Amino acid sequence: GFIAVGAEWTDPHSYPRVWTSSDGVSWGKHKLPGRGSLFGVAAKGNRLVAVGHNSLTEVTAKGRSGYSLLFSSTARGASWRRTTVREPSDSGNFTSWLDQVVATESRFIVGGSYYDEDERTYRPFLQQSSNLRTWKAMPKPPELDESSGLLELLQIGRTTLIVQDASSASGSDRVWVQLHEPGDSGWRLAGTPALSNSVTHALGVVAGDHALLSVTIESRPTRTELWTVNRARDVTRVELAEPTAAPAAVHPHGLILIDGEPAAYGDAQGVDVLWRSDGAAWTAPRVVREKAGESVDRMDWSRSGGFLATGQQQSDHAFVLHSNDGVTWRQTPPRVFNEVAQY
């Protein structure tokens, strides 16, 4: 089945919502308690975890402007339990948010950022749970530069991988890849390629014993690189085929696995496309969507359910696309998803 998370807006508040579907076409809505929006979801068997954030319309008397959302289900999304997120001890209780979640064989890991009162800046934090009731803090990632956060969270076997961005007032935003295994006292730094411009986005997928990362770099025009990362902390650049009929304008947005082989989705010449791979080479891009003002943001695939993609219409509304073969796509409601997964 499919699960999607997001929010419904009723002025002046947003409310967390979950949708489930057995076929990617018909959806059932579940209202979760409280206010806010959900930005990530992960599934393992019957167990699901969704994460998000609630921004308060007014700062409280104690200075709180927002807080993290953490929901879990042991009933395939039919019912949900909310957990209060405990921030690190140096939190200023100003704000925190969770936007990353991953399921492993034995536990779930969630990640996000919080306001560090001691340093007066933002830092990443991660928590883990094996029973979905008790959540424990993982070792804190290194404090890189003046401010840092999480762009991506992945799991390679027993190894947890994070892509951490960091910024300072005097230089461009930088990115680091950190790895952690159970029992480690801290995080191990991978040898990321040197970049002269800021990194704005990073998305990844795990394929076997390595991760494939799509890293968007702020340049003119904006460019995207693909990196592979293994558990030995080796990072290698990967090249994608570009269209030959016109000047190159290729921007991969994300990565998925199709029958164990990596695939990439993004835009080429302003059209949303899908690249397939046989493990040795990448195919020419196949068109997914080419309507003006619309763009595909995320995509996923399963053998039983096919392809599911979410995107934006004029940056105001979301849409959902479903395809059995990656060639013929049809649009399905609703239009308010932020993230999708399959279970």
Side-chain angles (χ1 to χ4, degrees):
F2 297 95
I3 180 168
V5 298
E8 287 186 327
W9 171 261
T10 301
D11 191 32
H13 303 294
S14 59
Y15 299 88
R17 297 292 184 259
V18 172
W19 293 262
T20 54
S21 172
S22 61
D23 57 8
V25 178
S26 300
W27 294 84
K29 180 172 66 176
H30 305 267
K31 297 181 178 181
L32 275 59
R35 297 171 179 169
S37 300
L38 300 177
F39 301 119
V41 61
K44 187 69 175 179
N46 293 333
R47 304 196 305 166
L48 311 171
V49 171
V51 296
H53 171 75
N54 182 32
S55 294
L56 302 178
T57 55
E58 296 181 358
V59 176
T60 67
K62 294 183 178 181
R64 170 69 75 171
S65 72
Y67 53 85
S68 298
L69 298 178
L70 175 58
F71 294 93
S72 60
S73 172
T74 58
R76 296 177 64 84
S79 59
W80 291 83
R81 178 178 185 269
R82 180 174 176 177
T83 298
T84 300
V85 179
R86 300 179 64 180
E87 298 174 12
S89 58
D90 54 1
S91 167
N93 294 315
F94 171 61
T95 189
S96 72
W97 62 90
L98 292 172
D99 52 12
Q100 304 289 338
V101 56
V102 66
T104 76
E105 288 298 324
S106 60
R107 57 183 175 150
F108 284 81
I109 301 173
V110 298
S113 298
Y114 73 101
Y115 183 74
D116 182 336
E117 185 177 39
D118 294 341
E119 299 291 336
R120 297 188 179 278
T121 189
Y122 292 93
R123 299 295 185 200
F125 76 110
L126 297 103
Q127 297 185 355
Q128 59 184 334
S129 177
S130 58
N131 59 18
L132 300 187
R133 289 185 174 273
T134 304
W135 291 84
K136 298 181 179 180
M138 293 184 65
K140 292 177 63 175
E143 296 183 358
L144 304 171
D145 277 358
E146 297 173 8
S147 179
S148 63
L150 293 183
L151 294 178
E152 183 60 287
L153 169 64
L154 300 170
Q155 190 74 18
I156 311 174
R158 288 170 46 84
T159 303
T160 303
L161 181 151
I162 61 172
V163 181
Q164 184 178 359
D165 68 327
S167 61
S168 63
S170 59
S172 60
D173 294 352
R174 295 185 289 173
V175 66
W176 283 267
V177 177
Q178 310 269 1
L179 295 95
H180 180 274
E181 293 191 6
D184 287 349
S185 59
W187 294 80
R188 297 173 291 128
L189 182 66
T192 52
L195 300 172
S196 57
N197 297 88
S198 297
V199 171
T200 58
H201 298 90
L203 297 170
V205 66
V206 174
D209 60 355
H210 67 277
L212 192 58
L213 300 175
S214 171
V215 180
T216 302
I217 301 164
E218 190 178 63
S219 58
R220 295 192 177 183
T222 299
R223 63 188 177 91
T224 302
E225 293 187 357
L226 291 183
W227 299 350
T228 61
V229 186
N230 60 26
R231 296 173 62 185
R233 295 177 289 166
D234 300 317
V235 181
T236 307
R237 283 188 170 106
V238 179
E239 297 295 330
L240 270 178
E242 298 180 351
T244 58
V250 177
H251 305 110
H253 294 163
L255 302 151
I256 58 176
L257 290 179
I258 303 175
D259 277 330
E261 300 293 350
Y265 59 91
D267 66 81
Q269 307 301 109
V271 176
D272 291 302
V273 298
L274 174 67
W275 291 271
R276 302 284 293 268
S277 170
D278 60 5
W282 293 83
T283 66
R286 183 181 293 275
V287 174
V288 174
R289 192 82 161 176
E290 53 180 338
K291 287 188 176 182
E294 296 188 357
S295 62
V296 171
D297 298 325
R298 301 297 296 267
M299 186 183 296
D300 208 342
W301 176 89
S302 75
R303 185 174 291 104
S304 60
F307 295 84
L308 192 71
T310 62
Q312 297 183 64
Q313 298 171 328
Q314 304 293 343
S315 299
D316 291 328
H317 299 287
F319 64 84
V320 181
L321 300 174
H322 181 265
S323 174
N324 291 319
D325 56 9
V327 177
T328 303
W329 295 81
R330 57 178 175 167
Q331 186 166 333
T332 67
R335 304 183 301 170
V336 287
F337 297 162
N338 288 336
E339 177 68 285
V340 298
Q342 297 191 50
Y343 64 98

